[in-house]
Amino acid sequence: MPSFDVVSEVNQDEVQNALNQANKEITTRFDFKDAGAEIVQEKNDIKLRAVNAFKLKALAEIVLGKLAKRGVSLKNIEQKEPDISSTGKASQTLVIKQGFEGDTAKIIVAAAKATKLKIQAQIQGTDVRVTGKNRDDLQEVMAALRAGVDDFPVAIGFKNFRD
């Protein structure tokens, strides 16, 4: 029976390339000279540090801009509140969201079933598996999900299209 998976994944290579570009930019920019700006990636967290809140905001804009240019959806990037220490140093964490959480997966399943086609959609871990007897029905579901991509809180993709 044909099937495919609806996933929400961020390409870690593109994230690494974007962070490398951002690091190059902050080392060459005059306004970041002696600003103590730092970008560190730890698995699915990106930690930003700067000498003050103004520089931190500029650093976050650079990083988000580079991520967007590399094709990383900003829907999958969650910005935590900046932490400002008593000495004025600022830090912020950007969390990269991978996979669907429970409520988001339910929204995807409901959107797939709303097409009224003969398919089954079920949550499998952090992905949603859609199966059906007819390959054309599955392609229509894909098209419907792509058309409604603005309704979802995270970016979606498709993989494992099998017969």
Side-chain angles (χ1 to χ4, degrees), residues 36-100:
E38 182 179 38
I39 303 168
V40 179
Q41 183 181 15
E42 298 172 355
K43 201 167 182 178
N44 284 332
D45 290 346
I46 301 170
K47 307 235 188 246
L48 308 176
R49 292 185 193 96
V51 292
N52 58 34
F54 177 73
K55 297 282 187 200
L56 180 69
K57 184 176 182 201
L59 182 62
E61 288 176 6
I62 290 170
V63 170
L64 293 174
K66 297 295 181 188
L67 287 168
K69 281 185 181 176
R70 298 297 304 187
V72 176
S73 175
L74 297 182
K75 283 183 167 185
N76 286 30
I77 306 295
E78 179 185 347
Q79 296 184 50
K80 299 286 186 182
E81 286 296 315
D83 296 328
I84 313 296
S85 71
S86 59
T87 60
K89 294 197 183 269
S91 64
Q92 184 176 16
T93 303
L94 305 177
V95 179
I96 301 170
K97 295 188 274 185
Q98 300 273 21
F100 298 121

Side-chain angles (χ1 to χ4, degrees), residues 113-156:
K113 289 184 177 182
T115 60
K116 304 288 187 204
L117 297 169
K118 292 184 178 180
I119 54 106
Q120 294 84 34
Q122 57 193 6
I123 301 169
Q124 291 190 331
T126 58
D127 300 339
V128 175
R129 165 90 27 106
V130 180
T131 58
K133 290 182 181 179
N134 189 347
R135 207 181 152 118
D136 294 334
D137 288 348
L138 294 179
Q139 289 175 341
E140 284 184 46
V141 171
M142 280 182 168
L145 291 175
R146 276 193 196 106
V149 76
D150 294 335
D151 300 336
F152 306 129
V154 293
I156 64 169

Side-chain angles (χ1 to χ4, degrees), residues 1-14:
M1 194 185 280
S3 68
F4 69 89
D5 293 334
V6 183
V7 296
S8 179
E9 294 179 344
V10 175
N11 186 341
Q12 290 295 334
D13 294 334
E14 292 298 335

